[in-house]
Amino acid sequence: MSTLEDFGFDTLKLRAGYDPADHNFSSAVPIYETVSYAVGSAENYDNIAAGVADGHVYSRCSNPTVKVLEDRIAALDKAKNAVAVGSGVAAITYAILSLSEGGGRMLTTEQLYGGIVHSLDSIFPKYGLHVDKVNNYASIDEFEAKITEDTKLIYVESVSNPTAIVSDIDNLSKLAHKHGIPLVVDNTIPTPYLFNPIEHGADIVIYSATKGIGGHGAAIGGLVVDAGRFDWDSPKFPQFKEKNIAFRDLNGRDRSYLEAFGKDAFSAKVRSDYLTNFGAALSPFNAYILLLGLETISERIDKEVRNVEKIVDFLTHSEYVEWVSYPYLEGNKSRELAKKNFPKGVGQLFSFGIKGGEEAVYRLCRNVKLFSYQLNLGDSKSLIANAKRSTHGVLTDSELGLAGIPDNTVRVSIGTEDPDDLIRDLQQAFEASAFEVSKKAG
Ligand SMILES: Cc1ncc(COP(=O)(O)O)c(C=O)c1O
């Protein structure tokens, strides 16, 4: 596969990073279920460790099945490198820690997946990383006003969980580069199929592969993807210049990440300092499951987006619904950007507000029969959740307000079922809920 860059997305999603001739002509990617590798000799080990020979030594650091997933996602994102890890949260954490060694500040928005908000508010500050947040995600001026000498990165979700707002990656990347810092984009919700952050200037892309990449709700995994363009030779990032014993060359000389890897220093650091030493490795079996899911990503997501459009249309005309947060709707703040940058859709996730407040959310979730109450998203099956108490349950009331998650928010992730069945399910659940209310009233 020497001409990978000539192939389109749908070819790469099936073939990139894998040549059957290198694996006993196995058509399916083999699961290399091994802890370590019989490298043959101490000399060969030294060569692999020093980076002068290819190979794997221990599956916490790298594994051939996992590598296919890494190379395939890098090809889909037109990136230089990808490092797969055990979950999306591990990918976010390792990326942020690699960039903020020694402490500093990170700039982000109020519109983030709830799980990471807790780390940003309560855990990272204990390690010297403090977080600044813009209230208006659409205001590049507000981002710029909050950049300080100590800001090490800008971090956004390309499409936010659960409100599906869209970030302006082109202008955010220009702003980040003007200030000598990288733009990190969590692209979990659109997946590489609907949006390529690197083409819009992002330096680092994060995935929870658990979601639309796997697409079947069967395996947890994450990836840190590196465009390989950022110049790490900067006083802001001394960690890339420090000599590191892990990169001792064959003459016994320690090297820095910059010396050993140049523009690839960031992904090398994520793998060698964080994955290897902190250990959230992706299992080869999960990599295999995620690769299987990836084979149908375009077909699944196209169907999911078509289903979303029908369900959004149903909800915007429903007497039981107060608001729908979906970027293509008239009046939505993300509309122009969504139309420009996301012509095929933003993904399967959106939120709506049900009339009757949080009690109505509970009633609806109780009465649906086809939608299942789950915290995942991007599954082929349709899911429903009370975001305020679940995925975003660690946000304070004020954070919920700023994130656009009022009490009556219902979060849905739409799958590939028959859309008429999904609409019928919501309608019967609205009616059953209304009946419960009227029965209670008297
Ligand atoms: C946008 C986003 N990023 C990251 C994650 C975390 O992923 P994981 O569950 O694979 O750790 C999630 C989980 O819901 C998410 O929605």
Side-chain angles (χ1 to χ4, degrees):
M1 300 267 291
S2 54
T3 52
L4 262 189
E5 56 284 355
D6 299 336
F7 292 125
F9 188 96
D10 282 347
T11 305
L12 296 174
K13 80 186 199 300
L14 289 159
R15 292 174 178 273
Y18 184 70
D19 185 346
D22 296 336
H23 302 267
N24 295 312
F25 301 99
S26 172
S27 170
V29 175
I31 302 173
Y32 281 85
E33 196 61 64
T34 183
V35 172
S36 61
Y37 302 80
V39 292
S41 66
E43 289 80 4
N44 194 31
Y45 176 88
D46 290 352
N47 288 336
I48 297 172
V52 297
D54 285 339
H56 304 272
V57 295
Y58 198 76
S59 280
R60 173 161 25 85
C61 321
S62 68
N63 169 282
T65 313
V66 174
K67 184 168 177 1
V68 178
L69 178 69
E70 293 171 339
D71 290 351
R72 199 160 286 181
I73 294 290
L76 292 174
D77 265 355
K78 300 187 170 54
K80 240 345 234 323
N81 305 291
V83 181
V85 293
S87 68
V89 156
I92 297 169
T93 305
Y94 288 180
I96 292 175
L97 290 177
S98 301
L99 295 173
S100 60
E101 283 181 7
R105 309 197 72 80
M106 118 175 197
L107 181 57
T108 187
T109 68
E110 298 285 352
Q111 291 79 20
L112 295 177
Y113 159 58
I116 200 63
V117 173
H118 183 60
S119 319
L120 298 184
D121 287 354
S122 310
I123 302 174
F124 287 141
K126 294 179 183 158
Y127 292 86
L129 174 66
H130 299 278
V131 178
D132 299 303
K133 293 183 187 169
V134 300
N135 291 341
N136 180 359
Y137 64 88
S139 168
I140 301 296
D141 289 344
E142 191 186 339
F143 273 97
E144 182 147 38
K146 290 195 167 152
I147 294 180
T148 70
E149 268 306 293
D150 218 15
T151 305
K152 302 284 178 65
L153 67 147
I154 298 180
Y155 177 93
V156 293
E157 291 177 7
S158 52
V159 175
S160 74
N161 177 352
T163 44
I165 65 125
V166 170
S167 294
D168 183 353
I169 303 301
D170 295 278
N171 283 316
L172 284 173
S173 61
K174 283 186 197 134
L175 178 70
H177 298 157
K178 181 174 152 195
H179 292 271
I181 53 177
L183 175 67
V184 182
V185 176
D186 182 337
N187 198 40
T188 295
I189 292 173
T191 78
Y193 177 60
L194 294 176
F195 187 63
N196 183 334
I198 288 175
E199 283 181 341
H200 293 264
D203 303 288
I204 294 156
V205 181
I206 303 291
Y207 290 106
S208 164
T210 316
K211 310 293 189 295
I213 286 179
H216 302 109
I220 298 231
L223 290 120
V224 182
V225 180
D226 181 6
R229 294 190 295 231
F230 194 84
D231 186 1
W232 300 107
D233 189 0
S234 147
K236 267 190 198 287
F237 301 105
Q239 64 266 44
F240 293 104
K241 277 200 196 149
E242 287 159 7
K243 301 280 182 207
N244 192 314
I245 195 163
F247 302 118
R248 183 157 291 178
D249 67 16
L250 288 174
N251 301 317
R253 199 176 59 94
D254 295 349
R255 293 172 295 171
S256 70
Y257 280 102
L258 256 176
E259 268 179 276
F261 298 99
K263 287 272 168 74
D264 299 330
F266 170 76
S267 42
K269 184 171 185 60
V270 170
R271 185 181 301 284
S272 296
D273 279 347
Y274 289 90
L275 177 58
T276 299
N277 294 309
F278 288 1
L282 181 68
S283 77
F285 184 70
N286 275 5
Y288 172 81
I289 298 275
L290 296 169
L291 282 163
L292 278 189
L294 189 56
E295 291 194 355
T296 55
I297 191 169
S298 325
E299 293 77 8
R300 268 188 288 112
I301 291 184
D302 278 341
K303 171 86 195 300
E304 286 162 358
V305 169
R306 284 200 305 278
N307 281 1
V308 165
E309 279 162 7
K310 287 187 180 161
I311 291 163
V312 164
D313 185 55
F314 158 75
L315 291 170
T316 49
H317 293 97
S318 169
E319 60 181 303
Y320 300 101
V321 171
E322 214 166 79
W323 51 266
V324 179
S325 181
Y326 185 60
Y328 303 92
L329 291 175
E330 204 87 50
N332 187 293
K333 275 211 276 181
S334 290
R335 189 160 191 248
E336 289 317 309
L337 211 48
K339 280 176 22 189
K340 184 166 125 241
N341 287 349
F342 293 80
K344 293 185 295 203
V346 290
Q348 320 84 340
L349 184 80
F350 69 94
S351 298
F352 65 92
I354 187 167
K355 287 184 185 161
E358 197 177 355
E359 283 187 20
V361 178
Y362 277 95
R363 278 192 294 271
L364 181 74
C365 293
R366 196 160 56 231
N367 282 307
V368 284
K369 295 191 161 72
L370 198 50
F371 278 84
S372 48
Y373 194 99
Q374 287 186 40
L375 306 194
N376 196 13
L377 66 93
D379 194 312
S380 302
K381 298 168 285 296
S382 292
L383 317 176
I384 195 164
N386 176 9
K388 181 185 163 185
R389 300 276 172 202
S390 56
T391 53
H392 291 72
V394 294
L395 272 65
T396 61
D397 284 348
S398 123
E399 283 174 331
L400 285 166
L402 290 165
I405 308 174
D407 281 357
N408 65 347
T409 303
V410 179
R411 183 187 103 138
V412 284
S413 171
I414 303 301
T416 54
E417 299 97 334
D418 186 321
D420 294 336
D421 292 339
L422 295 171
I423 289 170
R424 261 200 305 276
D425 190 37
L426 288 170
Q427 182 62 24
Q428 71 74 28
F430 285 140
E431 286 169 9
S433 303
F435 182 67
E436 270 184 30
V437 174
S438 64
K439 227 171 63 183
K440 205 168 156 197

